[in-house]
Amino acid sequence: FFINAHNEYDSSNYFFWRVEQTYKFNANYRIRFIYDGKMNRFQSPDSLFTCYKSDHIPSIYLYNTEKLEHSTIKDYPLHYVNTESKALSIRYSVLVNQYSISKETYKYWNDLSSLNDEQGDLYSRLPFQVRGNVFNTEDKNEPVLGCFLVAGKSTKRIFIDRPHYLDYYYSDSCNLYGPDAELLWIHRNEWPLFLPAFPGTGGASPAWVDYQWCVNCTKSDGKLEKPDFWVE
């Protein structure tokens, strides 16, 4: 994702972005059976099939236009989404919060970003202390991590349907097996177990699946309720 920005009403040349993502995804299989000591038909195969998942992106996105004639940003690379998860599998939404910040606040977040980027680098500088504008009133020499932020804010949300021209490589560890009675008993602490049906049996034959998230999208930290802001 790329961003364009223009600071028309604020003299600040420093930008800071926070990003949130939400996406719609499906479990690998629909539930056809439920096992709680005996095998029964599951009456609502779609009830745990589709979920929505939201995440705050932890990356720090900064830019300054101090050396530019105009406070304008064009096609700045902001957030990358790969095809190794189900994020783009159906529908994806990204919310961008843009802040116009002071030079001091920019320096704080830029130092923090540099420190994070250099962790584990063999040739990185020695770790340095990042100081913000928060301090202990009883001991001003005590290091305190934090920066109190007062900034102009603007937001924008967009939605994207699955890009069909991409190849997807998200892990599929959802193999199907015959529902061995001993295996079902070993997992009795997890009862009730949800099971799909073997393909090609018309839904008549239950199958054991490696993980419950293969049939229950809430096991992948998904939420069944559609977010209030969601637009199909």
Side-chain angles (χ1 to χ4, degrees):
F1 291 88
F2 298 85
I3 193 167
N4 298 323
H6 177 64
N7 204 347
E8 184 176 356
Y9 304 106
D10 195 327
S11 59
S12 174
N13 293 307
Y14 303 92
F15 295 85
F16 173 45
W17 295 278
R18 300 311 300 260
V19 179
E20 301 173 28
Q21 67 174 5
T22 302
Y23 58 91
K24 180 180 181 179
F25 70 99
N26 290 335
N28 292 60
Y29 303 101
R30 285 179 170 83
I31 301 170
R32 299 298 182 183
F33 298 89
I34 182 171
Y35 186 84
D36 57 1
K38 59 181 180 179
M39 193 72 70
N40 292 299
R41 281 281 185 178
F42 189 69
Q43 300 302 316
S44 304
D46 291 324
S47 61
L48 297 173
F49 185 63
T50 300
C51 279
Y52 302 84
K53 185 175 181 180
S54 296
D55 295 304
H56 290 274
I57 306 302
S59 301
I60 299 172
Y61 302 104
L62 296 162
Y63 195 83
N64 83 77
T65 59
E66 190 175 31
K67 297 181 180 180
L68 301 180
E69 183 177 353
H70 301 289
S71 187
T72 300
I73 300 169
K74 184 174 177 58
D75 295 334
Y76 177 68
L78 196 63
H79 174 49
Y80 175 73
V81 184
N82 62 40
T83 56
E84 296 176 2
S85 75
K86 291 186 177 181
L88 295 173
S89 62
I90 300 178
R91 188 163 171 79
Y92 180 90
S93 176
V94 61
L95 173 67
V96 178
N97 296 294
Q98 176 178 292
Y99 301 89
S100 298
I101 58 177
S102 67
K103 185 174 183 177
E104 292 73 21
T105 302
Y106 175 87
K107 182 181 184 306
Y108 169 82
W109 284 105
N110 192 54
D111 287 346
L112 195 61
S113 178
S114 298
L115 190 62
N116 289 340
D117 290 343
E118 292 176 359
Q119 293 298 317
D121 187 344
L122 181 62
Y123 300 102
S124 64
R125 295 175 294 173
L126 290 174
F128 58 93
Q129 189 176 87
V130 179
R131 285 189 173 273
N133 56 9
V134 180
F135 58 89
N136 184 347
T137 57
E138 297 182 356
D139 183 3
K140 293 186 178 181
N141 293 319
E142 179 184 357
V144 177
L145 181 63
C147 182
F148 183 74
L149 174 65
V150 177
K153 178 183 177 182
S154 57
T155 64
K156 186 175 181 62
R157 178 183 293 280
I158 63 171
F159 291 86
I160 296 173
D161 287 322
R162 174 187 176 117
H164 292 285
Y165 54 85
L166 297 178
D167 294 322
Y168 291 83
Y169 301 98
Y170 49 81
S171 175
D172 184 3
S173 302
C174 296
N175 300 309
L176 300 181
Y177 312 94
D180 182 89
E182 182 178 354
L183 192 59
L184 292 169
W185 176 253
I186 290 173
H187 290 269
R188 61 189 179 277
N189 291 334
E190 301 173 34
W191 290 357
L193 293 171
F194 298 117
L195 305 175
F198 264 116
T201 65
S205 178
W208 172 262
V209 68
D210 288 312
Y211 306 100
Q212 283 294 283
W213 55 259
C214 298
V215 290
N216 181 354
C217 62
T218 66
K219 295 296 184 180
S220 298
D221 298 324
K223 303 294 183 183
L224 296 173
E225 300 79 15
K226 182 188 298 185
D228 293 337
F229 59 79
W230 194 263
V231 177
E232 293 292 353

